[in-house]
Amino acid sequence: MDKKPNQGSDLRAAPVTTKQWITPRRLTLIILMILSISVGIMAFLIDPIYIIAVLIAIISGLLIFRHPYFGLLLYYVTFVIRPAAFVPQLAPLHPERIIGGLLLVSILIHKNLKGERILLLGEKMNWLFGFFILAMALSVPFSYWPSATVWTIIDFLKICIFYFLVTNVITTPERLKGFIWIYIIAAGYIAISSTIAYFSGTLAVAQGIQRAEGLAGADPNTLAVTLVLAIPFMIFSLSWIRNRWLKLVPLFCAGLAVLTVALTGSRSGILGLLAVFFFIWLTSNRKLALALAFLTLLVASWFALPQQYQQRYASIASSEYDPSTEGRFDAWNAGLRMFYARPFFGVGAGTFHVAFASGHFSDRISWLKAHSMYIQVIAEIGLIGLVAFAMLVYYMLRQNFRLRKLLLKKFKRRSWLSYISYSITCSVGALFVTSIFGHSLFRLHWYWACALTVVMWRLVDNQLNEGNNAEDEQQTARGRALPRRS
């Protein structure tokens, strides 16, 4: 007979312990070791700058795919700082193109996964923007240098991509406020770095004066206009930033921006700054106090400026013309002749200097650019381009006016969106003034303002729709609560 097992005995089998060599932790360590060894070996064969750039690109690419909003902020910062200007080895990599391409793919993936619609042709602003691009394309067959016009349009595609990204990524109030914050901080960085470089001896000497210039390669005039356009956003942000300590950031940036503009020796920059003060004064409820503050600031700044800058800015009202002014007059006259010769399509987008140097429109052979947006638009893209650009900018300004009016009617006060709208209108008004002396037709700010206008209207529409839905729900609830009549 078989013996029965003892009832009290432990029938559980002893556990078999097997040692696992491949674990997630060890696998991660092995990958890190291989990566470190590979990077160490490549450091002897390749310039370390390229290795660092590749590592940063990989990390940034992963973050862009995960968070498109981060990609948009990084894309804008790349526009402002221009890392290739500080590290020439990065120029062949074209960081802004890589970031823009990755961000486009990221948006398409996120929109597809969430089942959201890509905003491309649903807005009237987008159609007007497309019409302007078409006007540029129509100038190619009539261009003095068709291939140069084609490359101008290709370069303008960066602005088109930026417009598309802003209108599709900034979908919440928090994202809009964050983007404005990045814009203010980036402009503050430009002012701080340029001022430090100026007092350290890194500056330009032109027209007999020392002039501050941007570290990323911006000339004094471009630097001055860039800061002038940012000052309205800094000043109006004081009205919608709630934290008192945070208000010191845009206030400090605005003061430093005014100082930097003065150090550039840019006459168009000073005129734009005066225009900014005037537009801010128009929107203020305390006009007398603000006028006295601005006058005190201007008088104190004038006497604080060295004599070389006083003479430079005094020449704005002088009847005597320096060589710089005479050269601009020659370019303007040549631009008018270009318009008379080719009134509908112009001499080609981006080829004003080529037509000027041809000798067909002036006795002076020069590669000078238009130095006036108003001359540039009619000379380069003709009446078709003038109509397209005017329609786009007019619609943007009108939409901002309607937005502020609607918000004031609905909420009986100025909201934070109203102040951002005022910032856009004020900066664009200053850009109209500085464009008298600057060829700014393809400047990002025009089209950036259009994109922000589209974003703000979408936010307002969503807010109003949510309010209407809430009212409908309340009315429905009240109707259910009423006693039924017998």
Side-chain angles (χ1 to χ4, degrees):
M1 293 178 65
D2 296 334
K3 294 183 178 180
K4 294 182 179 180
N6 188 3
Q7 297 294 333
S9 63
D10 191 1
L11 300 178
R12 292 175 299 177
V16 179
T17 58
T18 58
K19 194 172 184 180
Q20 294 182 354
W21 290 97
I22 300 178
T23 62
R25 182 180 178 183
R26 290 180 178 178
L27 187 61
T28 302
L29 290 175
I30 292 173
I31 293 175
L32 288 176
M33 289 176 59
I34 295 175
L35 182 62
S36 300
I37 294 173
S38 301
V39 171
I41 295 174
M42 287 189 297
F44 290 99
L45 305 176
I46 305 173
D47 191 339
I49 292 295
Y50 290 106
I51 299 175
I52 295 173
V54 170
L55 293 176
I56 293 176
I58 293 174
I59 297 173
S60 300
L62 294 175
L63 290 174
I64 289 172
F65 276 112
R66 184 68 181 85
H67 304 286
Y69 180 61
F70 166 80
L72 176 64
L73 299 182
L74 182 63
Y75 189 52
Y76 179 71
V77 170
T78 306
F79 257 103
V80 174
I81 298 179
R82 299 184 184 276
F86 300 98
V87 185
Q89 293 89 337
L90 296 178
L93 299 177
H94 299 288
E96 67 282 351
R97 297 182 185 178
I98 296 175
I99 295 174
L102 291 176
L103 186 52
L104 279 175
V105 174
S106 176
I107 290 176
L108 295 176
I109 293 174
H110 277 263
K111 293 283 186 181
N112 186 38
L113 292 176
K114 295 180 180 179
E116 297 178 353
R117 182 172 58 91
I118 297 175
L119 301 174
L120 186 60
L121 299 177
E123 303 283 347
K124 183 178 178 180
M125 190 85 75
N126 297 353
W127 287 98
L128 293 175
F129 191 36
F131 179 36
F132 177 70
I133 298 173
L134 176 62
M136 294 174 58
L138 290 175
S139 70
V140 173
F142 306 92
S143 175
Y144 256 70
W145 192 357
S147 60
T149 299
V150 170
W151 279 110
T152 299
I153 297 173
I154 292 174
D155 190 60
F156 187 77
L157 289 179
K158 292 189 297 185
I159 296 178
C160 300
I161 293 173
F162 190 79
Y163 177 93
F164 173 81
L165 295 176
V166 168
T167 54
N168 280 273
V169 174
I170 302 181
T171 55
T172 63
E174 292 74 19
R175 289 186 175 186
L176 178 57
K177 289 181 180 179
F179 186 80
I180 299 299
W181 262 113
I182 290 295
Y183 176 63
I184 292 173
I185 293 173
Y189 162 78
I190 292 174
I192 292 172
S193 60
S194 301
T195 302
I196 293 176
Y198 173 86
F199 286 109
S200 301
T202 304
L203 46 81
V205 178
Q207 284 81 45
I209 61 171
Q210 297 174 337
R211 309 179 66 178
E213 60 181 356
L215 292 183
D219 61 88
N221 291 326
T222 302
L223 172 62
V225 174
T226 298
L227 296 178
V228 164
L229 300 182
I231 290 175
F233 290 88
M234 299 172 182
I235 299 300
F236 282 110
S237 69
L238 300 176
S239 300
W240 57 265
I241 296 176
R242 299 304 178 189
N243 190 293
R244 294 181 179 180
W245 293 105
L246 282 179
K247 289 185 177 183
L248 295 177
V249 176
L251 191 62
F252 173 76
C253 291
L256 200 58
V258 172
L259 172 63
T260 309
V261 171
L263 295 177
T264 60
S266 172
R267 292 174 290 191
S268 60
I270 289 297
L271 291 176
L273 189 60
L274 294 176
V276 166
F277 289 160
F278 176 72
F279 287 123
I280 293 176
W281 175 80
L282 280 180
T283 61
S284 174
N285 295 326
R286 300 177 180 178
K287 288 184 170 55
L288 181 58
L290 195 60
L292 292 175
F294 282 161
L295 288 175
T296 303
L297 176 63
L298 290 175
V299 172
S301 301
W302 176 261
F303 287 105
L305 284 174
Q307 186 177 4
Q308 58 174 334
Y309 297 103
Q310 291 182 357
Q311 293 177 351
R312 171 73 173 173
Y313 296 134
S315 65
I316 295 175
S318 176
S319 58
E320 297 181 0
Y321 302 134
D322 55 21
S324 175
T325 304
E326 292 178 354
R328 293 186 180 188
F329 284 161
D330 289 339
W332 295 352
N333 290 327
L336 291 175
R337 295 190 183 98
M338 295 176 198
F339 172 65
Y340 296 149
R342 302 183 180 183
F344 294 104
F345 302 103
V347 296
T351 61
F352 181 95
H353 58 296
V354 179
F356 193 10
S358 67
H360 296 159
F361 306 103
S362 175
D363 296 334
R364 176 180 178 178
I365 306 299
S366 174
W367 290 85
L368 194 67
K369 294 188 177 181
H371 281 283
S372 173
M373 187 267 292
Y374 304 98
I375 298 296
Q376 180 187 14
V377 64
I378 61 174
E380 292 190 0
I381 52 180
L383 282 175
I384 303 297
L386 174 63
V387 171
F389 181 75
M391 289 177 62
L392 177 64
V393 176
Y394 170 77
Y395 182 73
M396 179 264 294
L397 292 174
R398 194 190 73 166
Q399 285 294 89
N400 274 277
F401 176 77
R402 291 180 61 241
L403 179 75
R404 295 192 297 268
K405 187 177 179 180
L406 176 63
L407 290 172
L408 188 60
K409 179 181 178 181
K410 198 71 178 178
F411 303 106
K412 309 302 179 184
R413 59 183 176 84
R414 294 176 179 176
S415 70
W416 65 276
L417 280 173
S418 300
Y419 291 111
I420 294 180
S421 178
Y422 276 124
S423 303
I424 292 174
T425 303
C426 179
S427 63
V428 170
L431 187 53
F432 272 116
V433 175
T434 59
S435 294
I436 298 174
F437 307 102
H439 37 276
S440 60
L441 179 61
F442 306 121
R443 192 180 186 93
L444 173 64
H445 198 84
W446 294 111
Y447 317 100
W448 179 77
C450 293
L452 287 187
T453 303
V454 172
V455 169
M456 289 192 299
W457 263 106
R458 189 182 308 125
L459 294 178
V460 170
D461 288 339
N462 293 338
Q463 189 175 3
L464 294 179
N465 290 334
E466 290 176 359
N468 293 334
N469 293 335
E471 291 179 0
D472 293 340
E473 291 178 359
Q474 290 178 0
Q475 291 178 0
T476 303
R478 289 173 185 172
R480 292 174 179 174
L482 291 176
R484 294 182 180 179
R485 294 183 181 180
S486 58

